[in-house]
Amino acid sequence: MPEPILKISKLSAHYGDFQALYGVDMEVAEGEVLAIIGANGAGKTTLLRSLSGLMSNEAGQITYRGQAIGALRADQVAALGIALVPEGRQLFPSLTVEENLMIGGRVNRAGPWNLHKVYDLFPILQERRGQASTSLSGGQQQMVAIGRALMSNPDLILFDEISLGLAPIIIKDIYAALPGIVGGGMSAVIVEQDITKALSVSSRVYCLQEGRVSLEGGSATVSREEISRAYFGIA
């Protein structure tokens, strides 16, 4: 396997007195698409919030390209090349589609992604570029959220519940765009409720169950029985 771009070592995370992650160990290889599955409340979003700097952790629990980043702020993490597509899109409602995209570009990282390339990936956004982001459909808003992340020219992109609340035809369009996103060697972590979709686009999969890794394996080789046991905590 290629050298890991990201290493997570004994990562624990808390919301006040509530512990959401318990000693999680993971790796993401250079150019790899990794899937993370698990039931609601398993800790998936907490994991991505930790990786993107939205939650502060011990510095050495998360290492990116050999640098301890667990205690960095979100803007510092983004400047290093990690971008998050958050659950629920979280667009700026007072800004247009294009203005939301330009926010991602303010990281000022060199790379191939710019407005022209984002519009090539999602042509509907160019048509709607002057509209308020909240006037778009849910699927179009997800495209804006993805485009905003790409505008920062990340080396690692994190997708939190990429298909949540979207119509099946829109989910198909979003996943059809994925090869064009990661085809240049970008690494990706995809948190996804649709297990079949998650396995179809990833090389490896981790399952979280109550804040712990309950399964790790190759997406093409793990069985549905193994996934069911890991997902629901069945002995």
Side-chain angles (χ1 to χ4, degrees):
M1 195 171 88
E3 185 67 21
I5 189 174
L6 181 80
K7 290 186 178 182
I8 304 166
S9 179
K10 304 191 184 315
L11 176 62
S12 297
H14 297 77
Y15 296 96
D17 293 334
F18 174 73
Q19 186 166 356
L21 296 176
Y22 296 82
V24 170
D25 293 325
M26 287 186 184
E27 291 186 353
V28 182
E30 188 92 45
E32 178 181 33
V33 177
L34 181 75
I36 299 177
I37 61 174
N40 289 336
K44 305 185 301 296
T45 291
T46 300
L47 175 63
L48 294 197
R49 285 176 58 85
S50 296
L51 297 181
S52 59
L54 293 174
M55 290 185 69
S56 182
N57 303 94
E58 293 182 20
Q61 291 180 333
I62 305 171
T63 305
Y64 177 70
R65 295 194 182 279
Q67 178 178 346
I69 67 166
L72 296 184
R73 301 186 311 267
D75 61 310
Q76 295 172 316
V77 172
L80 291 175
I82 299 177
L84 172 66
V85 181
E87 181 181 0
R89 278 81 76 174
Q90 297 184 25
L91 303 180
F92 296 97
S94 63
L95 301 182
T96 66
V97 167
E98 189 158 298
E99 288 168 341
N100 268 277
L101 294 173
M102 293 298 291
I103 290 290
R106 295 183 68 177
V107 175
N108 289 323
R109 278 178 53 84
W113 288 97
N114 51 37
L115 275 176
H116 179 73
K117 190 167 181 181
V118 170
Y119 288 150
D120 281 347
L121 183 68
F122 299 123
I124 189 65
L125 298 187
Q126 185 167 19
E127 296 177 25
R128 308 288 168 83
R129 63 186 181 274
Q131 292 183 215
S133 60
T134 51
S135 71
L136 304 184
S137 68
Q140 291 165 358
Q141 289 185 37
Q142 184 70 295
M143 293 174 189
V144 177
I146 293 170
R148 180 180 61 188
L150 292 173
M151 286 286 289
S152 70
N153 278 295
D155 295 322
L156 171 62
I157 189 167
L158 313 172
F159 296 96
D160 194 2
E161 302 290 6
I162 189 172
S163 63
L164 186 65
L166 301 182
I169 190 169
I170 300 300
I171 295 171
K172 182 179 178 181
D173 289 344
I174 295 289
Y175 272 94
L178 195 61
I181 294 171
V182 299
M186 188 185 300
S187 302
V189 175
I190 298 177
V191 164
E192 177 60 90
Q193 292 280 0
D194 187 328
I195 296 173
T196 300
K197 282 288 187 187
L199 296 179
S200 70
V201 298
S202 60
S203 58
R204 288 189 305 124
V205 60
Y206 286 90
C207 184
L208 289 180
Q209 207 269 332
E210 295 185 350
R212 296 176 172 86
V213 174
S214 55
L215 174 70
E216 174 193 356
S219 299
T221 58
V222 293
S223 69
R224 287 293 174 156
E225 183 180 355
E226 289 175 311
I227 290 173
S228 293
R229 286 200 303 266
Y231 201 97
F232 297 109
I234 301 171

